[in-house]
Amino acid sequence: MLIPDGESDFALFVMHCLGPYRNLRIHVLSGERWSPTRFSRYCHDYTVRCTGPSDESRLNAVADIVKKKKIDVLLPTETKWISFAIAQREALSAFTSVVPLPNLKAFEIANNKWLFAQFLKTSQIPGPPTILVTYDDRFEKELQDLEFPVLLKPVTAWGGEGIERFDSLSDLMRYLQQQDPDKKKEQFVVQSFLPGFLVDVNVLARKGEMLATTIQRCIIPNKKKWAAAGAIKFTKEDQFAKLVQDLVSALDWSGFANVDTLYDTQAEQLNILEINARFWGSLRGSLVAGVSFPYLACLAALDIPFPMQNYELARYFHSKTALREGMMSLIGKSHEDGMAFWETGFRFLLADPMAEATRAFRQEFLSREPADG
């Protein structure tokens, strides 16, 4: 199988989820010469080619590798290459199988917080009240009706990037008045900050039908504000799974996704916050719990049936969190008792040291902010 975006922040996580399956050979196409995936023990072959932004150059690069390496499945991991694979699905399918991917409309909705908020409303799926920043009279009137505190979010950013919290209307208006309207207008949304707790639902689906899922909660927050959890535990809560099934059906979703949900403790209601239409930073946590979403996506691409996967109620500690927790446990101040090696990112460091060391170096010294793992 071929990962066409070997330089992506999630490609190495995907390889670690595929590595245990001895029947797979993982080929990588990358626009970077020294990405972590090149040094992975699971990388069978690594091709460097600067394809540029054009679909034609990307299509030619993929077609060339598929022919030379006899590739069975194409598995993009991040937004740009997923978008390309959706646009060129028919052409790609002529010479290889492609993992399930959403239709173009659903993908555009998922990657735009304003479009997504509108979709939830028209589909009668609960979500937080959200308005688009437009700097006009209507916008100011809608703000008057919005319950505070609120979050100001970029329409297309992810991973907590660019989010600001405001506890009062006057604070928000003062901030907006100090900004360049051309950089904020229709580029940000204002969303009510609901009280409650977050639950992530990870899915693989095809044409609105769930093929696999895991459900996780945060047990240790990330040190970086608004970023993904530093440690998670897997749970089985039918109400969250049902809500996400409603979303998957409404979008007619195909492919993998990480869906952020929230239980509003004040209104006693479940809400959908957003959907990450790509692989996610805690992907390897699902592998620890017993579900390899990338491998199942490959099976689905080849029309090989598989049952809904049962998963363990495991915990997963990202490497940095595990290191901190290990140090805190020495002085009796650990957040979680009995952390085991197999529950941490260190198991992947031990299994694939060169790739993990390269990833850590890039993260520390090359000013990259990849998803935690």
Side-chain angles (χ1 to χ4, degrees):
M1 53 80 59
L2 174 65
I3 295 175
D5 46 359
E7 69 282 354
S8 93
D9 293 334
F10 304 101
L12 186 61
F13 301 164
V14 169
M15 292 177 73
H16 287 166
C17 291
L18 295 171
Y21 297 93
R22 302 297 184 184
N23 58 326
L24 283 179
R25 286 190 174 184
I26 304 173
H27 299 262
V28 178
L29 169 65
S30 177
E32 296 181 9
R33 187 170 297 277
W34 307 114
S35 70
T37 53
R38 180 170 197 155
F39 301 97
S40 175
R41 59 177 291 202
Y42 304 115
C43 180
H44 182 76
D45 183 78
Y46 190 90
T47 302
V48 180
R49 186 172 298 186
C50 296
T51 57
S54 78
D55 279 8
E56 182 179 1
S57 62
R58 290 182 176 183
L59 190 62
N60 289 337
V62 171
D64 184 50
I65 294 175
V66 166
K67 182 178 179 181
K68 289 180 179 178
K69 308 297 181 181
K70 298 181 180 179
I71 302 296
D72 295 309
V73 178
L74 181 71
L75 176 60
T77 71
E78 205 167 24
T79 305
K80 289 182 180 179
W81 273 88
I82 293 173
S83 179
F84 157 78
I86 292 171
Q88 300 296 325
R89 192 193 318 254
E90 185 175 349
L92 290 166
S93 297
F95 52 80
T96 193
S97 297
V98 182
V99 295
L101 296 173
N103 61 62
L104 182 59
K105 181 179 179 181
F107 191 66
E108 289 175 344
I109 290 170
N111 284 289
N112 184 297
K113 290 182 176 64
W114 175 236
L115 295 179
F116 188 66
Q118 290 180 299
F119 178 82
L120 292 179
K121 188 174 182 179
T122 57
S123 301
Q124 298 184 327
I125 297 174
T130 305
I131 60 176
L132 184 67
V133 174
T134 55
Y135 280 94
D136 55 17
D137 292 340
R138 180 179 178 181
F139 171 62
E140 293 189 15
K141 183 178 183 304
E142 289 177 332
L143 280 180
Q144 299 286 341
D145 298 329
L146 206 60
E147 187 174 343
F148 280 73
V150 299
L151 300 178
L152 182 69
K153 296 182 175 182
V155 166
T156 56
W158 305 103
E161 180 183 351
I163 296 178
E164 301 281 351
R165 172 174 168 157
F166 298 92
D167 292 323
S168 69
L169 176 59
S170 59
D171 288 344
L172 174 61
M173 293 305 297
R174 189 179 306 113
Y175 173 84
L176 290 174
Q177 288 165 3
Q178 295 171 352
Q179 307 303 306
D180 181 353
D182 291 336
K183 294 182 179 179
K184 297 291 182 182
K185 185 177 180 181
E186 298 185 352
Q187 302 301 312
F188 283 76
V189 295
V190 181
Q191 190 173 83
S192 288
F193 182 69
L194 301 178
F197 58 87
L198 296 172
V199 175
D200 287 346
V201 181
N202 310 308
V203 302
L204 173 67
R206 182 162 49 195
K207 296 182 179 179
E209 179 186 355
M210 300 266 261
L211 301 179
T213 184
T214 58
I215 301 173
Q216 64 195 49
R217 288 200 194 193
C218 168
I219 53 175
I220 301 177
N222 199 306
K223 292 293 184 181
K224 182 181 177 183
K225 197 172 185 180
W226 311 120
I232 56 176
K233 68 176 180 180
F234 289 88
T235 67
K236 295 188 179 181
E237 300 173 88
D238 291 343
Q239 67 271 36
F240 293 100
K242 183 181 183 306
L243 179 63
V244 172
Q245 175 63 76
D246 291 343
L247 173 65
V248 166
S249 296
L251 282 169
D252 193 30
W253 189 261
S254 291
F256 35 84
N258 165 262
V259 184
D260 293 338
T261 71
L262 178 141
Y263 180 74
D264 183 342
T265 52
Q266 184 171 310
E268 297 184 341
Q269 177 176 297
L270 300 180
N271 293 269
I272 298 281
L273 295 185
E274 59 187 48
I275 177 172
N276 300 295
R278 47 156 174 75
F279 285 116
W280 50 96
S282 61
L283 179 68
R284 299 186 298 189
S286 289
L287 180 65
V288 171
V291 179
S292 174
F293 282 97
Y295 182 69
L296 296 179
C298 290
L299 293 183
L302 297 171
D303 290 324
I304 298 175
F306 54 88
M308 179 67 75
Q309 304 291 292
N310 192 21
Y311 60 92
E312 301 293 329
L313 303 184
R315 299 179 300 176
Y316 181 67
F317 299 79
H318 295 302
S319 298
K320 288 183 178 179
T321 304
L323 181 61
R324 285 196 301 269
E325 285 298 298
M327 295 176 66
M328 293 295 286
S329 68
L330 296 177
I331 58 175
K333 293 186 177 181
S334 175
H335 293 83
E336 289 285 318
D337 295 328
M339 180 180 65
F341 177 83
W342 65 269
E343 297 178 300
T344 74
F346 293 134
R347 62 182 283 180
F348 301 105
L349 173 61
L350 183 64
D352 202 9
M354 285 294 293
E356 281 289 282
T358 305
R359 187 175 75 88
F361 178 85
R362 281 157 54 104
Q363 194 171 356
E364 188 70 27
F365 297 107
L366 300 184
S367 301
R368 291 179 65 94
E369 290 291 341
D372 204 348

